[in-house]
């Protein structure tokens, strides 16, 4: 009751105000003015411009001037001055609002006078001119009423007024009629078809066009061009969905028959999960699509309806994800394993946070099998890779080849987020575990692996590592590699005594045990002088055992001595035992990882060289024992005639001088080989063994040690010519030994023949005479013996002269080739062989 009284009082106040403003009006005009005033008071005038009183006054004055009412502008300026000067009780505080109201009313009245009937009743007429409704007279309102409108002034403000006569509904109905005239299909039907297309299903009006390679609205359907473009744009999501779903279906269909791989399966599973989320979104949108799209007149209704524009907004984020998945599908179509993970990782380098987060989650799913294989490999040594997706390949090999050939990197499967150095550490760590388990039969690596995981705070459980945890992965691998490699080196050095075996090979195969080598040559020399096909290897094995028991070698470890055996190399016709005899060392698992067949073959080559060199040295020592002055040669010289005596002394001197030259060469070469080559290389090898951190370092150190011996001993590929010259010198020295033996054998025989001849002249028996006649010197008395002695010494002297000339020329060539060798240590050999520059001056004299 009170509310009705207040409304009536307010209406009476408005009537009184209108009457005061328009005292001389008719009843009709008063009714119109009252209605207009009521509309002003009930309208929602919310200007968006700043409340600047002075600016509003200037705007009104400019409007009056522009209309040619300069006098009105001056009058307004005078009234505005008085209006603003009033202050205190009874003054208006919000002067800007009063000015704005007057300005809008004036503009609305002018707009009403200038508008025609079509403009006033057209679509959105009220939004063209401004905010307040127009005051219509009887003539203009008649049977047809128009929408209220006002025109935006110079300040560019759009005003919205209350439509009490439902003029907005009239305009909305007109708009709907216009849209229906241009469209045969309602927007709701198109939304439904678009949702079908986004699921890969053809709708009634939106179908997949193979020529266009996408979903399009049928050309026969009449719709506005903007609607057709909107449908094509939104249906891009359907084309992307079709590509992604097709890849997932194709991969799963061929999984049993073909090797899709665990990473490929993880990729498809991650895509399927994203598609599941996409299906949930489509389910929500389909529920909203069932709600009718409101008319334009119902625009204030914000219900859960779905239009094409709203659908485009809903699809903004799914399109980005689906587009990215489609790109990944194209990139990974022919890839698998680590290569697929690397290709996906390349697309994660993006600046969009949405894409980064999406790719991070996707890669964590995709790389989960890869990181699980890495964890299993570095902590357990297990390579569970039945599809060949891992960047480490394993192949069945013998135990001695496990480290070198059992595992290798597959660069094609190495993802880009794992560096080459990290991959090498991963490879070596797993190899170390397998080497300990298979070759060393050791289980201590498990404790080392657990300690490594505990040290870096990483779990040893399955799927404990994932994408994005590269720092944790590197820390785990570094710690595991350090601990497991240290355990491996301890096992090799302590349990399998690797250093002791290396020293044994140096002492026996490289002939570093002097007393053993000397005694062995003494006892096997006569046997090795026989033809190779007549020598028994069992007899040589017995002689080897005798040499061991007769030297300091007997105090070595029994396990080491049991590994030392005699080996007879393949031989041909005419070969002697010296040519085929060798020693071998039985390096069993795990030592044969270092001492492989090829390595032992190189040791055999070095042994053959050193054995022949020791044979040459032994031959020179034997020649000296034969050549040293003794009673037999002295007696022979005192009893010979002058010519024979001179010839014998000359031959003997030539033999001794040549022996000195050869001994000088052999002695200095022996010093170089034993000290500059073997001992220096061994010292360096021991230092590198002590600093080796893993088995690869140990293998590299041993390879360097062996290669150093081969190169410095003139057995390398670059020293083949020099090596042939050296072996030719060895052969000449052995020939010299045979000639020296012939010389002294002949002297002894001549001495014996002379004694027999003296007995024969005193009447010895015929039997003894016949035996003397059958000797190599023959019979004939003293003159015949003297003649034969002269011929023999002449022949021996000529042979020695030939050997001397060939030896000198060969030695000069050998010394001349040494400076041209690339190895620095060979300069020490040149210096020792020609320290007096004798051979240098000899070459210059020629």
């Amino acid at each position: 009751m009170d509310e009705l009284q207040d409304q009536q009082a307010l209406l009476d106040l408005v009537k009184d105000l209108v009457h005061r403003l328009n005292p001389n009006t008719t009843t009709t005009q008063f009714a119109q003015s009252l209605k207009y005033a009521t509309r002003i008071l009930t309208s929602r005038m919310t200007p968006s411009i700043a409340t600047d009183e002075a600016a509003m006054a200037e705007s009104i004055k400019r409007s009056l001037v522009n209309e040619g009412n300069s006098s009105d502008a001056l009058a307004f300026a005078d009234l505005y001055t008085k209006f603003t000067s009033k202050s205190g009780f009874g003054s208006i505080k919000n002067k800007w609002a009063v000015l704005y109201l007057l300005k809008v009313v004036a503009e609305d009245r002018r707009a009403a006078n200038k508008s025609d009937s079509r403009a006033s009743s057209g679509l959105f007429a009220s939004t063209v001119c401004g905010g307040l409704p127009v005051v219509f007279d009887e003539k203009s309102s008649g049977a047809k009423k128009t929408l209220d409108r006002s025109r935006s002034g110079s300040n560019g403000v759009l005003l919205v007024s209350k439509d009490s006569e439902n003029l907005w509904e009239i305009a909305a109905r007109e708009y709907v009629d216009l849209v229906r005239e241009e469209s045969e299909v309602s927007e709701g039907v198109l939304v439904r078809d678009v949702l079908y297309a986004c699921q890969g299903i053809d709708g009634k009006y939106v179908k997949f066009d193979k020529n266009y390679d996408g979903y399009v609205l049928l050309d026969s359907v009449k719709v506005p061009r903007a609607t057709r473009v909107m449908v094509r744009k939104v249906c891009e999501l359907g084309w992307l969905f079709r590509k992604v779903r097709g890849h997932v279906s194709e991969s799963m269909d061929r999984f049993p028959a073909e090797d899709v791989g665990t990473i490929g399966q993880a990729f498809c599973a991650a895509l399927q999960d994203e598609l599941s989320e996409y299906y949930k979104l489509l389910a929500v949108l389909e529920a909203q699509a069932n709600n009718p799209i409101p008319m334009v007149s119902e625009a204030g209704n914000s219900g859960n309806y779905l239009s094409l524009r709203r659908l485009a907004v809903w699809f903004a984020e799914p399109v980005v994800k689906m587009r990215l998945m489609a790109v990944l599908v194209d990139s990974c179509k022919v890839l698998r394993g680590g290569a697929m993970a690397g290709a996906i990782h390349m697309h994660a380098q993006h600046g969009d946070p949405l894409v980064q987060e999406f790719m991070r989650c996707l890669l964590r799913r995709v790389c989960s099998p890869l990181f699980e294989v890495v964890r299993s490999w570095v902590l357990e040594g297990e390579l569970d890779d039945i599809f060949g997706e891992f960047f480490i390949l394993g192949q069945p090999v013998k135990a001695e080849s496990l480290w070198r050939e059992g595992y290798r990197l597959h660069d094609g499967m190495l993802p880009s987020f794992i560096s080459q150095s990290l991959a090498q550490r991963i490879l070596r760590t797993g190899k170390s575990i397998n080497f300990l388990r298979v070759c060393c039969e050791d289980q201590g690596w498990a404790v080392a692996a657990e300690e490594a995981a505990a040290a870096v705070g990483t779990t040893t459980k399955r799927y404990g590592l994932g994408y994005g945890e590269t720092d944790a992965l590197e820390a785990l691998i570094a710690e595991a590699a350090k601990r497991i490699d240290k355990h491996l080196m301890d096992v090799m050095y302590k349990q399998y005594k690797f250093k002791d075996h290396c020293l044994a090979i140096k002492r026996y195969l490289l002939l570093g045990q002097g007393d053993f080598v000397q005694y062995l040559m003494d006892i096997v020399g006569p046997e090795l002088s026989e033809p190779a096909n007549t020598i028994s290897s069992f007899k040589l094995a017995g002689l080897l055992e005798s040499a061991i028991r007769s030297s300091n070698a007997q105090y070595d470890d029994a396990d080491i001595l049991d590994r030392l055996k005699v080996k007879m190399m393949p031989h041909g016709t005419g070969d002697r035992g010296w040519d085929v005899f060798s020693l071998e060392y039985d390096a069993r698992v795990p030592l044969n990882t270092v001492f492989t067949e090829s390595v032992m073959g190189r040791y055999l080559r070095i042994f053959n060289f050193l054995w022949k060199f020791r044979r040459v040295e032994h031959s020179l020592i034997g020649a000296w024992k034969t050549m040293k002055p003794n009673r037999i040669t002295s007696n022979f010289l005192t009893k010979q005639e002058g010519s024979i005596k001179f010839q014998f002394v000359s031959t003997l001197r030539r033999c001794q001088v040549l022996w000195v030259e050869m001994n000088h060469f052999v002695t200095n070469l022996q010093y170089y080989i034993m000290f500059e080559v073997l001992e220096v290389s061994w010292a360096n090898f021991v230092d590198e063994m002590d600093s080796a951190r893993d088995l690869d370092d140990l293998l590299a150190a041993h390879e360097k040690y062996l290669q150093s011996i081969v190169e410095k001993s003139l057995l390398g590929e670059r020293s083949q010519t020099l090596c042939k010259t050296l072996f030719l010198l060895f052969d000449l020295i052995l020939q010299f030994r045979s000639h020296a033996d012939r010389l002294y054998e002949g002297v002894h025989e001549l001495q014996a023949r002379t004694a027999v001849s003296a007995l024969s002249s005193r009447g010895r028996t015929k039997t003894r005479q016949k035996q003397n006649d059958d000797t190599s010197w023959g019979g004939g008395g003293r003159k015949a013996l003297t003649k034969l002695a002269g011929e023999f010494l002449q022949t021996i002297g000529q042979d020695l002269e030939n050997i001397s000339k060939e030896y000198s020329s060969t030695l000069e060539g050998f010394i001349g080739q040494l400076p041209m060798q690339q190895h620095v240590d060979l300069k020490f050999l040149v210096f020792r062989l020609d320290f007096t520059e004798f051979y240098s001056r000899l070459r210059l004299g020629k």
Side-chain angles (χ1 to χ4, degrees):
M1 192 69 181
D2 293 338
E3 185 178 355
L4 294 175
Q5 291 178 355
D6 292 340
Q7 291 180 356
Q8 185 62 38
L10 180 61
L11 180 60
D12 293 340
L13 180 61
V14 172
K15 288 181 180 180
D16 184 58
L17 179 61
V18 172
H19 181 70
R20 288 185 181 185
L21 292 175
N22 298 287
N24 300 320
T25 57
T26 63
T27 303
T28 304
Q29 291 175 342
F30 176 80
Q32 291 179 351
S33 298
L34 180 61
K35 182 186 295 186
Y36 188 71
T38 304
R39 290 178 180 175
I40 290 176
L41 294 175
T42 57
S43 66
R44 298 178 180 178
M45 300 170 62
T46 55
S48 59
I49 61 175
T51 58
D52 190 345
E53 178 184 333
M56 182 60 64
E58 287 297 324
S59 176
I60 294 174
K61 284 190 291 183
R62 282 198 302 272
S63 299
L64 294 174
V65 171
N66 291 336
E67 292 176 358
N69 300 324
S70 301
S71 58
D72 292 341
L74 292 174
F76 172 77
D78 182 57
L79 291 172
Y80 175 69
T81 302
K82 294 177 180 179
F83 179 64
T84 55
S85 63
K86 278 190 170 288
S87 61
F89 180 77
S91 62
I92 299 175
K93 294 181 180 180
N94 196 359
K95 298 180 178 64
W96 173 86
V98 175
L99 294 175
Y100 179 72
L101 172 63
L102 294 175
K103 181 176 183 296
V104 171
V105 170
E107 289 178 351
D108 191 68
R109 297 296 295 272
R110 284 194 297 271
N113 294 332
K114 293 180 181 179
S115 62
D116 55 14
S117 59
R118 179 173 179 81
S120 62
S121 61
L123 182 62
F124 299 139
S126 62
T127 63
V128 174
C129 297
L132 291 176
V134 181
V135 179
F136 297 103
D137 54 15
E138 294 292 337
K139 295 180 181 179
S140 62
S141 58
K144 183 179 180 182
K145 295 187 177 180
T146 62
L147 295 171
D148 297 335
R149 64 177 184 170
S150 64
R151 187 183 56 160
S152 58
S154 60
N155 55 0
V157 178
L158 180 63
L159 303 176
V160 181
S161 63
K162 182 177 180 181
D163 188 6
S164 60
E165 296 184 353
N166 296 325
L167 297 180
W168 173 259
E169 295 182 4
I170 298 173
R173 284 194 296 268
E174 291 182 1
Y175 169 72
V176 171
D177 293 338
L178 290 175
V179 171
R180 287 176 177 175
E181 290 178 2
E182 297 182 1
S183 303
E184 295 180 353
V185 182
S186 66
E187 187 175 6
V189 175
L190 291 180
V191 168
R192 175 70 63 179
D193 272 19
V194 168
L195 290 176
Y196 286 154
C198 291
Q199 300 175 62
I201 304 172
D202 286 346
K204 184 177 180 181
Y205 302 104
V206 179
K207 298 180 181 296
F208 184 81
D209 188 350
K210 293 184 179 180
N211 296 327
Y212 181 73
D213 191 23
Y215 287 96
V216 296
L217 191 59
L218 296 178
D219 295 336
S220 59
V221 179
K222 181 180 179 182
V223 293
R225 183 175 179 274
T227 302
R228 188 176 296 274
V229 172
M230 177 64 71
V231 170
R232 181 178 299 175
K233 179 181 178 181
V234 176
C235 285
E236 178 192 1
L237 184 60
W239 180 84
L240 297 172
F241 168 80
R242 181 188 178 101
K243 177 182 287 291
V244 175
R245 187 187 62 178
H247 174 77
V248 174
S249 300
E250 181 183 353
S251 299
M252 293 299 100
D253 290 344
R254 61 187 176 91
F255 168 65
E258 300 183 22
D259 295 339
V260 178
T262 57
I263 294 180
Q265 295 176 47
F267 178 52
C268 291
L271 294 180
Q272 188 62 50
D273 288 347
E274 291 297 330
L275 292 182
S276 298
E277 294 297 323
Y278 174 68
Y279 290 145
K280 293 178 182 179
L281 173 63
L282 291 181
V284 174
L285 295 179
E286 285 185 354
Q288 293 187 13
N290 292 329
N291 300 327
I293 301 176
M295 304 295 292
V296 178
S297 59
E298 302 172 352
N301 182 12
S302 59
N304 292 329
Y305 66 91
L306 196 63
S307 64
L308 288 176
R309 290 187 178 276
R310 286 196 172 192
L311 197 59
V313 175
W314 274 104
F315 283 166
E317 183 175 330
V319 163
V320 174
K321 292 184 178 180
M322 199 69 71
R323 188 180 292 129
L324 186 56
M325 287 191 288
V327 171
L328 295 178
V329 165
D330 287 337
S331 301
C332 302
K333 188 172 296 184
V334 296
L335 299 178
R336 55 197 300 273
M340 176 183 290
I344 297 175
H345 167 74
M346 295 302 295
H347 291 280
Q349 313 305 311
H350 203 282
D352 189 346
L354 173 65
V355 175
Q356 286 183 352
E357 180 63 21
F358 173 77
M359 291 301 300
R360 187 187 66 81
C361 296
L362 182 67
L363 277 168
R364 192 166 184 86
R365 290 284 305 277
V366 171
C367 297
S368 178
L370 178 67
F371 278 87
E372 173 56 24
V373 177
V374 172
R375 186 207 62 81
S376 176
W377 173 252
V378 299
L379 295 181
E380 301 171 6
E382 298 291 341
L383 188 59
D384 187 11
D385 185 28
I386 59 176
F387 297 106
E389 301 174 287
F390 196 40
F391 53 85
I392 294 177
L393 292 179
Q395 55 185 355
V397 293
K398 296 180 180 179
E400 60 267 22
S401 303
L402 179 67
W403 184 268
R404 298 177 185 270
E405 303 174 5
Y407 304 98
R408 63 180 178 86
L409 281 181
H410 186 192
D411 293 333
M413 290 296 174
L414 181 62
S416 54
F417 52 83
I418 296 180
S419 64
Q420 188 74 21
S421 60
L422 180 59
Q424 289 289 349
R425 292 201 300 272
I426 293 173
L427 171 65
R428 193 185 68 245
T429 304
K431 282 202 307 182
S432 298
I433 294 177
N434 280 278
F435 182 82
L436 286 168
R437 181 168 52 204
V438 176
C439 299
C440 302
E441 297 181 353
D442 178 81
Q443 299 298 326
W445 57 267
V447 177
E450 291 179 358
E451 292 176 351
V456 298
T458 304
T459 179
T460 58
K461 296 180 180 179
R462 294 176 61 87
Y463 301 103
L465 294 173
Y467 177 81
E469 300 176 359
T470 306
D471 294 339
L473 177 65
E474 290 184 354
L476 174 63
I477 292 171
E479 191 66 25
K482 182 178 70 174
R483 293 176 182 270
I484 294 173
D485 287 336
K486 183 179 182 303
H487 179 71
L488 172 58
M489 300 307 293
D490 290 341
V491 170
M492 290 291 290
Y493 289 156
K494 297 177 182 179
Q495 181 177 344
Y496 290 96
K497 302 178 181 180
F498 177 78
K499 293 182 179 179
D500 294 342
H501 289 286
C502 289
L503 182 59
I505 290 176
K506 172 181 177 292
R507 294 171 62 186
Y508 298 116
L509 295 192
L510 303 185
L511 307 183
Q513 186 72 27
D515 58 339
F516 164 77
V517 175
Q518 186 65 40
Y519 192 82
L520 181 64
M521 281 205 162
D522 290 340
I523 62 176
V524 302
E527 188 72 21
L528 296 181
S529 300
E530 301 296 327
N533 55 4
T534 64
I535 299 176
S536 171
S537 58
F538 296 102
K539 186 175 181 180
L540 291 177
L543 296 176
L544 173 63
E545 185 68 24
S546 299
I548 291 175
R549 290 196 303 267
S550 303
S551 64
N552 288 328
Q554 61 182 315
Y555 302 111
D556 278 347
D557 191 343
D559 178 60
I560 291 177
L561 296 178
D562 290 341
R563 296 170 183 261
L564 188 63
K565 299 178 181 179
V566 172
K567 180 181 180 180
M568 300 296 291
M569 295 183 295
H571 53 272
T573 304
D575 288 338
R576 295 283 176 176
W578 290 104
D579 302 321
V580 298
F581 174 82
S582 65
L583 296 178
E584 67 174 353
Y585 194 82
D586 183 15
R588 303 166 193 144
V589 177
L591 298 178
N592 54 6
T593 299
V594 180
F595 304 115
T596 60
E597 291 185 6
S598 61
V599 168
M600 297 311 294
R602 294 161 71 184
Y603 271 118
L604 178 61
R605 186 181 178 192
I606 297 172
F607 171 83
N608 290 333
F609 167 73
L610 295 176
W611 182 252
K612 188 165 187 176
F613 178 62
R614 284 301 185 94
R615 178 191 174 194
V616 169
E617 179 190 11
H618 191 265
S619 298
L620 283 178
I621 294 175
W624 169 250
K625 292 179 179 179
T626 304
M627 293 167 55
K628 67 182 179 180
N630 54 48
R631 184 176 59 81
I632 297 177
T633 56
S634 298
N635 292 337
F636 180 76
L637 287 173
T638 57
K639 296 179 181 180
Q640 298 301 320
E641 298 178 356
S643 60
I644 298 299
K645 184 176 181 180
F646 175 78
Q647 193 174 5
F648 178 74
V649 170
S650 177
T651 303
L652 188 62
R653 180 178 178 80
R654 165 57 62 188
C655 183
Q656 291 175 343
V657 169
L658 187 56
W659 181 90
V660 171
E661 291 182 7
M662 293 179 174
N663 185 66
H664 167 74
F665 171 74
V666 169
T667 302
N668 286 281
L669 182 61
Q670 180 192 27
Y671 175 87
Y672 168 76
I673 293 295
M674 299 307 297
F675 294 98
E676 299 294 342
V677 177
L678 297 180
E679 291 300 329
V680 172
S681 299
W682 172 255
N684 294 334
F685 178 46
V686 170
D687 293 339
E688 292 184 0
M689 270 197 297
D690 294 337
S691 61
R693 295 175 297 178
D694 51 63
L695 191 55
D696 280 333
D697 290 347
L698 186 61
L699 290 172
H702 180 263
E703 177 64 23
K704 182 179 178 181
Y705 164 67
L706 192 56
Q707 186 65 23
S708 174
I709 295 176
V710 170
E711 292 294 333
K712 291 181 181 180
S713 301
L714 306 177
L715 300 177
E717 295 295 332
R718 297 176 296 181
S719 306
Q720 290 298 309
T721 303
L722 200 60
C723 184
K724 292 179 181 179
T725 305
L726 181 60
F727 274 88
L728 182 59
L729 288 172
F730 289 165
D731 291 338
L732 290 174
I733 293 174
L734 294 176
Q735 291 179 26
F736 164 77
R737 168 65 191 273
S738 64
H739 288 305
D741 289 343
R742 280 181 54 205
L743 172 63
Y744 283 90
E745 287 174 2
V747 170
H748 293 168
E749 189 172 356
L750 185 60
Q751 180 72 17
R753 182 67 183 87
T754 302
V756 172
S757 180
L759 292 175
S760 178
S761 62
R762 296 172 186 174
R764 291 290 185 183
T765 62
K766 295 181 179 180
T767 303
R768 176 61 59 87
Q769 181 66 38
K770 183 178 180 181
Q771 292 176 352
N772 290 334
D773 291 342
D774 292 338
T775 62
S776 59
W777 295 93
R782 185 176 181 84
K783 291 184 178 180
L785 290 175
T786 302
K787 181 180 179 181
L788 290 175
E791 292 176 355
F792 169 73
L793 291 174
Q794 183 178 3
T795 303
I796 291 295
Q798 186 64 39
D799 291 340
L800 291 175
E801 184 67 22
N802 293 336
I803 290 178
S804 176
K805 289 181 180 180
E806 186 176 359
Y807 175 80
S808 298
S809 62
T810 305
L811 181 60
E812 290 176 16
F814 177 80
I815 296 176
Q817 293 177 23
L818 282 177
M820 294 184 292
Q821 300 300 310
Q822 296 182 359
H823 212 288
V824 178
D825 290 340
L826 289 174
K827 294 181 180 180
F828 295 102
L829 179 59
V830 177
F831 174 75
R832 294 192 64 84
L833 292 176
D834 195 21
F835 68 95
T836 61
E837 298 183 355
F838 170 78
Y839 294 104
S840 300
R841 290 194 299 268
L842 192 62
R843 288 197 305 272
L844 292 176
K846 292 183 179 181

